[in-house]
Amino acid sequence: MHRIIFLLCFIFCSSVSALDCQQIPDSDIFPGDQFWYPVNSSDYVRIPPNFNCTYVIKAPITSSQVLYGSVLLTNLLKGVNDYMIVTDSLGAKTTLKYRSDSFLNYDIFPGKQISIQVVTKSVDMYSQFLIQVSYSKVKVGSTVQMKTGGALNYVNLATLKGFDPVLQNSITVQGNEPISMSLATSRYMYPTLYLYHSYIIDGDFYNQTSVHRLIDFEQSAPFVSLNNRVTLVTFQTDAYYATAAVLNPVSEANNFEYLTSQASVDGELDKVAFNPYLKPEACQVLAVDSKQIIMNSLNFDEEITSSCVAQVVTGPPNNSSQLLLDLTTARGLMPYTFNLKYFSVIAKGCSFSFTVKSPEQ
């Protein structure tokens, strides 16, 4: 009987004490590879007391390929004082406890790494965990030159998709000066998951000045690059329509307090409001999936004076723009149909709002 108990204890204690801090060997980092932490076991692993290990998982870039890593972390912590600290590939830190989510997904952005620190205290609470890592080769898209004059520069994000047999993961846009990027999305159907797994690089994969999630710029101030090129990237496998990244030379954007963008969505009414203070404001309205924009309503918050500028102009707002409609005299014309893919609205010296939609396809 004592021999059986000893044998069971030996097997159990060996399985727990076998847990170490082994990292993924470089030889196991290649497209299509899957790796499980710890000890490459696909079963949940018991964590012994007084365990403290930081697993560092990287997605390297070489001259021949750009790698992306996907991490599935299973959190089965039981101890009140046990925890994990996850530092994602953009540097954001999250502390996980026994009441945190059990299954969490993380991107490892190409050229970066993620770290997961696993800590248990002296009391054995039978905590468990598992880290699954999958590697894929990024389909790096083409580099396009920004257009000038009256053409609006934008990327329909439905043309980018994660690991699709046809579509690319990325596109790089090259300008002659730093670039301002604003998102044109629906104000009601936020593509949260898509934008969370989509990114903008200030630069490109091989020269990353900074990397940001697109979700950070949803209904927010535009992103402004330091370089003359930016790269839009997604690892989301589900495409989302009626969403675009609109790009302007920074000198064009600097003419306004805010130069933003708004998608005109099929069958949906979206509102844009202006309240310019010192400098004029402008919004670029883009029918992402249509070729027609209907301005459905127009409302001024105050009496219109001679200092009020409220204009719809062609293209992005620059020296090539032409007047389409003076909104100070257009309230009786609503709804007004523009047979255009995009236009800009400029506001100065007065507060007003309007709604837009595109016809259902």
Side-chain angles (χ1 to χ4, degrees), residues 66 138-143 155 159-162 167-173 199 201 205 231-235:
V66 175
V138 175
K139 295 175 67 176
V140 179
S142 59
T143 298
V155 175
T159 63
L160 302 179
K161 193 175 180 182
L167 300 178
Q168 306 293 316
N169 285 102
S170 71
I171 186 171
T172 298
V173 180
Y199 302 82
I201 306 174
F205 284 113
T231 301
L232 293 156
V233 188
T234 189
F235 303 116

Side-chain angles (χ1 to χ4, degrees), residues 199-215:
Y199 302 82
I200 184 167
I201 306 174
D202 188 347
D204 55 32
F205 284 113
Y206 294 94
N207 298 281
Q208 301 178 19
T209 299
S210 64
V211 180
H212 306 268
R213 297 182 190 274
L214 288 186
I215 192 70

Side-chain angles (χ1 to χ4, degrees), residues 135-168:
Y135 286 105
S136 303
K137 184 177 181 179
V138 175
K139 295 175 67 176
V140 179
S142 59
T143 298
V144 298
Q145 187 71 31
M146 286 188 72
K147 302 171 185 176
T148 58
L152 183 68
N153 290 278
Y154 67 93
V155 175
N156 185 340
L157 295 183
T159 63
L160 302 179
K161 193 175 180 182
F163 314 108
D164 184 83
V166 177
L167 300 178
Q168 306 293 316

Side-chain angles (χ1 to χ4, degrees), residues 144 147 152-162 167-173 181-186 191 194-195 198 214 232-234 238-247 263-266 286-291 341-342 361:
V144 298
K147 302 171 185 176
L152 183 68
N153 290 278
Y154 67 93
V155 175
N156 185 340
L157 295 183
T159 63
L160 302 179
K161 193 175 180 182
L167 300 178
Q168 306 293 316
N169 285 102
S170 71
I171 186 171
T172 298
V173 180
M181 187 281 301
S182 56
L183 287 177
T185 66
S186 160
Y194 182 91
L195 295 178
S198 301
L214 288 186
L232 293 156
V233 188
T234 189
D238 295 326
Y240 188 90
Y241 298 92
T243 304
V246 181
L247 306 161
S264 182
V265 181
D266 298 355
L286 170 64
V288 182
D289 301 316
S290 178
K291 293 183 179 180
K341 182 77 174 174
Y342 50 79
Q361 301 297 304

Side-chain angles (χ1 to χ4, degrees), residues 292-334:
Q292 189 179 84
I293 302 170
I294 301 170
M295 184 173 286
N296 197 68
S297 64
L298 173 65
N299 181 61
F300 283 84
D301 300 334
E302 55 200 12
E303 183 180 351
I304 299 174
T305 65
S306 59
S307 63
C308 174
V309 175
Q311 297 177 337
V312 181
V313 300
T314 59
N318 57 31
N319 293 334
S320 299
S321 299
Q322 297 181 0
L323 180 65
L324 290 171
L325 184 65
D326 185 348
L327 295 178
T328 62
T329 60
R331 282 180 290 184
L333 302 178
M334 300 297 132

Side-chain angles (χ1 to χ4, degrees), residues 16 58 78 125 150 163 188 214 224 228 232 276 296 304 341:
V16 173
K58 55 189 177 181
K78 298 292 191 295
M125 298 301 293
F163 314 108
Y188 299 100
L214 288 186
V224 178
N228 293 358
L232 293 156
N296 197 68
I304 299 174
K341 182 77 174 174

Side-chain angles (χ1 to χ4, degrees), residues 19-21 23 37 47 50-57 71 73-75 77 81-88 92-97 106 114-121 128-131:
L19 182 58
D20 58 24
C21 209
Q23 306 295 314
Y37 279 123
I47 314 172
N50 298 313
F51 184 75
N52 190 334
C53 173
T54 299
Y55 297 96
V56 178
I57 313 165
V71 173
L73 172 60
T74 303
N75 166 27
L77 296 176
N81 296 316
D82 298 344
Y83 62 90
M84 300 184 201
I85 298 177
V86 180
T87 304
D88 72 16
K93 288 190 176 184
T94 305
T95 299
L96 305 177
K97 305 281 282 187
Y106 299 93
I114 183 175
S115 68
I116 302 173
Q117 183 182 12
V118 182
V119 179
T120 58
K121 298 303 182 179
Q128 294 177 298
F129 81 115
L130 185 67
I131 305 170

